[in-house]
Amino acid sequence: MDTHPAGTKNKSDEGAGRPAPAPSTNFIRNVIAEDLVRGTYADRRWAGRPGPYDQHAAAPLDAAHIRTRFPPEPNGYLHIGHGKSICLNFGLARDFGGRCHMRFDDTNPVKEDQEFVDGILDSVRWLGFDWTHTSSSGAESNLYHASDYFEDMYRFAEHLIATGYAYVDEQSAEQMRQTRGTLTEPGTNSPYRDRPIEDNLRLFREMRAGQHAEGSMILRAKIDMGSPNINMRDPAIYRIRFAEHHMTGDAWKVYPMYAYAHPIEDALENITHSICTLEFEDQRPFYDWTLVRIVPLLRRPQYEAARALLDRIAGEGTEAKRQFALHCRNVVEGSRDKLGHSRYERRVEAMFASWSRNPDLAVNDADELLKLLREHTQHFTPLLQAALDERVPNPFMLPHQYEFNRLNLTYVVMSKRKLIQLVEDRHVDGWDDPRMPTLVGLRRRGFTPQSIQTFMERIGVSKSTQWIDYSVLEQALRDDLDATAPRATAVLEPLKLVIDNWPASTTEDCTFAVHPHKPELGTRTIPLGRELWIEREDFNENPPKGYFRLTPPRSDATGHVVPGGMVRLRSAYVIRCTGVDKDAAGNVTAVHAEYLPETRSGTEGANSVKVKGAIHWLPVHAAQPAEVRLYDRLFTDPQPDAGGKDFLTLLNPGSKRVLSAYVEASLANAQPDDKFQFERNGYFVADRKNHTSEKPVFNLAVTLKDSWGK
């Protein structure tokens, strides 16, 4: 009886349904463990939804030990590099008793679309992760959008203007490029940089009301045009866009820049560890600058607590005040960006400079320093975030950004621009083409959530740039499917075999294991008949040395007749080739053979005739026609877009082959996404878009062995 089960299938919970790979230690895990010991985020409260801390102050302590987030922009489909971030962020939250937020950074309405939102959510679920959690306090769904916070972001921008840390610039884009400076030369201040605060507020409100044209003005942070970090040279934080937003419609005419919006989103959501790839490392100072400058609104309870702590310090003894004053100076000397350019900050900077020449002056100036800090606290939040940390860990409860190495994978491109070009110019069959490095493409190729999670654990997390060979990803899939995929027989390039001494109307069932290492899965049967399909490569009219499959009778160099080659039909009989049929062009159309009745597998005579080869087969009368798509690497070069190469000239012309094949009859019942090992050929998946019982379609997921490494 045929007990062939359905193949392994990718369900949305497959990644969660089986044990996750054991996490490997990395520097981010070490940071989180240290933060938990230190209590850096222990006092956080959570009201069940994001918002400024006023909203959380009276809520219970946050049940999540940490909060991470996965923040894609909904302007395309996710690729395997995003998969690394998904596994890292959701995996850290899972392993440390936390929550990972699913958040869309939808700050650019020109490029965003609901199609991408839906596709991203589906990919995250497919990988085995979710943003909905159930605890003793009830269900918590952490699906958010940057657009949820547009009003808060706007309010914070007005605060920056009101405190002198932002201004409206009317220079053209070209003028701003010219005044930005270079890596070795400082930038030049905008002529609008010192515009009065009242005028900046008026213009910004007019921008919001749509009273100014796109590109006519932007809002810039006022930081330091001489900073060695170009990202700190008065970066833009708002621009005018007259575009329909997929979430907010036409409610907004100004939209925040990503670098400004991202830290605010993290803070409103009580994120503890904001994990990014290394290209954002130079933007971390602006991430921190943005948060500490808006602390009076963003973290008002903590801001007031800091002011109260300053009052207590002011009431302490002379030496204690002196030590705190010197500590503040040391903080600034260690990081110059803790002070901006307001007149109050310039006064403190001059004070610290005098102490460097004569530390005893700190005794006389400590009271004046504390007076400045207490009366103009809104100008000193960066300094206080660092200086008060000794007394209260992370006094403003701000998230911190950590950067890790992005995934560089050989034989693919992961630039969104280049992926779009591949799709739009029809070099591939869409975003979910199985050759694409997109998650939807890998899923259609036959990759499983478990294999991708295993791959991510194997490559690890660090700050070192490294290239991962594509074979490492493929091996993770082999390791998963070898243990889970049921076996099946398929003949990919069929050649007819006729067993001339087999009775024409007789069939005989041959038994095969569903899985060689899982007898509990049972067996499957394939009927042996007179006419069979075999692989074309299992016959060779002019065999090379060491070929041990079917060959026709022939004469050797001395004129002696060499009998035809013998092989075993798997789970059946030994056969001997007796001849071939050819068409008018001389092409072999059929192979003839005779079977040796005494050699039936499983009988005493099975070993009576020794052969060196065994081949698989299918009966002509009971085989299921199927389309089989053989996929290979999309590019012939391991780094197709490195060093100024034209990646399109490196496309692999043999990356897709479509075969008219035959599979065993039971596979007509396979469902889309079912996976099998086609014995001798590789691991295959029923195509999730085109496969039907009437017209089965199978994609090659991965070969049985790595052939590229040889």
Side-chain angles (χ1 to χ4, degrees), residues 555-560 562:
S555 298
D556 63 16
T558 64
H560 292 91
V562 178

Side-chain angles (χ1 to χ4, degrees), residues 12 27 90-91 195 260 326 342 392 420 483 492 525 598 621 687:
S12 61
F27 77 98
F90 280 93
R195 193 199 303 268
Y260 169 76
L326 289 172
S342 71
V392 179
I420 290 172
L492 304 188
T525 58
E598 70 278 11
H621 74 280
D687 188 80

Side-chain angles (χ1 to χ4, degrees), residues 179-189 193 220-235 282-286 289 335-341:
T179 59
R180 193 183 188 195
T182 67
L183 292 174
T184 57
E185 297 178 354
T188 304
N189 286 351
R193 197 172 195 267
R220 297 178 73 176
K222 185 190 289 187
I223 307 177
D224 182 4
M225 290 300 294
S227 172
N229 184 343
I230 290 182
N231 294 286
M232 298 297 280
R233 295 180 187 175
D234 292 8
D282 288 342
Q283 292 186 12
R284 191 201 316 153
F286 184 58
W289 183 94
S335 183
R336 289 289 178 183
D337 61 2
K338 299 304 179 188
L339 289 179
H341 297 279

Side-chain angles (χ1 to χ4, degrees), residues 233-267:
R233 295 180 187 175
D234 292 8
I237 57 177
Y238 264 93
R239 78 285 210 204
I240 301 170
R241 282 283 188 275
F242 297 133
E244 187 86 4
H245 191 283
H246 72 104
M247 292 289 290
T248 62
D250 60 359
W252 289 90
K253 305 298 185 292
V254 290
Y255 289 92
M257 304 298 288
Y258 174 83
Y260 169 76
H262 180 222
I264 293 174
E265 296 157 27
D266 284 349

Side-chain angles (χ1 to χ4, degrees), residues 222-500:
K222 185 190 289 187
I223 307 177
D224 182 4
M225 290 300 294
S227 172
N229 184 343
I230 290 182
N231 294 286
M232 298 297 280
R233 295 180 187 175
D234 292 8
I237 57 177
Y238 264 93
R239 78 285 210 204
I240 301 170
R241 282 283 188 275
F242 297 133
E244 187 86 4
H245 191 283
H246 72 104
M247 292 289 290
T248 62
D250 60 359
W252 289 90
K253 305 298 185 292
V254 290
Y255 289 92
M257 304 298 288
Y258 174 83
Y260 169 76
H262 180 222
I264 293 174
E265 296 157 27
D266 284 349
L268 292 174
E269 293 178 18
N270 259 357
I271 299 303
T272 57
H273 301 81
S274 181
I275 302 166
C276 308
T277 46
L278 279 170
E279 60 261 39
F280 293 98
E281 187 172 29
D282 288 342
Q283 292 186 12
R284 191 201 316 153
F286 184 58
Y287 181 102
D288 295 337
W289 183 94
T290 299
L291 293 182
V292 292
R293 287 300 180 188
I294 62 175
V295 154
L297 299 184
L298 178 71
R299 293 287 190 261
R300 188 181 62 82
Q302 289 79 13
Y303 176 72
E304 296 300 337
R307 298 183 69 184
L309 181 54
L310 288 174
D311 289 343
R312 291 199 296 275
I313 294 171
E316 295 177 356
T318 300
E319 181 58 22
K321 289 188 286 186
R322 174 180 176 276
Q323 289 300 322
F324 179 72
L326 289 172
H327 178 52
C328 288
R329 182 202 62 177
N330 293 338
V331 165
V332 171
E333 288 188 346
S335 183
R336 289 289 178 183
D337 61 2
K338 299 304 179 188
L339 289 179
H341 297 279
S342 71
R343 60 193 178 102
Y344 309 110
E345 291 166 289
R346 295 281 67 79
R347 173 71 187 101
V348 168
E349 187 174 55
M351 195 181 298
F352 289 167
S354 68
W355 298 356
S356 296
R357 296 186 296 272
N358 184 359
D360 291 339
L361 292 175
V363 176
N364 302 324
D365 294 343
D367 285 332
E368 182 181 353
L369 172 66
L370 282 163
K371 185 173 185 292
L372 284 168
L373 297 182
R374 292 160 69 195
E375 292 182 355
H376 305 284
T377 313
Q378 70 271 26
H379 291 285
F380 295 103
T381 47
L383 171 60
L384 294 177
Q385 167 71 6
L388 296 178
D389 186 72
E390 277 190 345
R391 298 177 180 238
V392 179
N394 192 9
F396 298 134
M397 292 188 185
L398 299 177
H400 187 78
Q401 177 177 302
Y402 301 91
E403 304 85 20
F404 67 97
N405 58 341
R406 64 178 296 171
L407 173 59
N408 294 308
L409 190 65
T410 59
Y411 296 101
V412 300
V413 295
M414 287 194 282
S415 157
K416 191 171 292 184
R417 176 182 62 82
K418 292 176 180 178
L419 292 176
I420 290 172
Q421 188 175 355
L422 288 172
V423 173
E424 292 184 346
D425 293 351
R426 299 184 181 278
H427 297 292
V428 294
D429 300 327
W431 286 98
D432 63 348
D433 186 303
R435 295 166 290 178
M436 289 279 275
T438 54
L439 292 180
V440 289
L442 290 169
R443 181 179 183 180
R444 192 173 177 191
R445 178 73 172 260
F447 278 83
T448 63
Q450 187 72 11
S451 66
I452 292 179
Q453 290 189 45
T454 297
F455 169 68
M456 298 307 173
E457 283 296 331
R458 288 177 179 175
I459 64 175
V461 174
S462 72
K463 281 184 171 288
S464 301
T465 300
Q466 60 183 149
W467 281 88
I468 306 299
D469 194 84
Y470 199 86
S471 62
V472 180
L473 176 62
E474 291 179 319
Q475 189 58 46
L477 180 59
R478 286 191 194 95
D479 292 343
D480 187 31
L481 293 183
D482 180 59
T484 60
R487 276 40 174 176
T489 299
V491 177
L492 304 188
E493 298 186 77
L495 174 64
K496 184 176 287 188
L497 171 70
V498 181
I499 305 176
D500 293 313

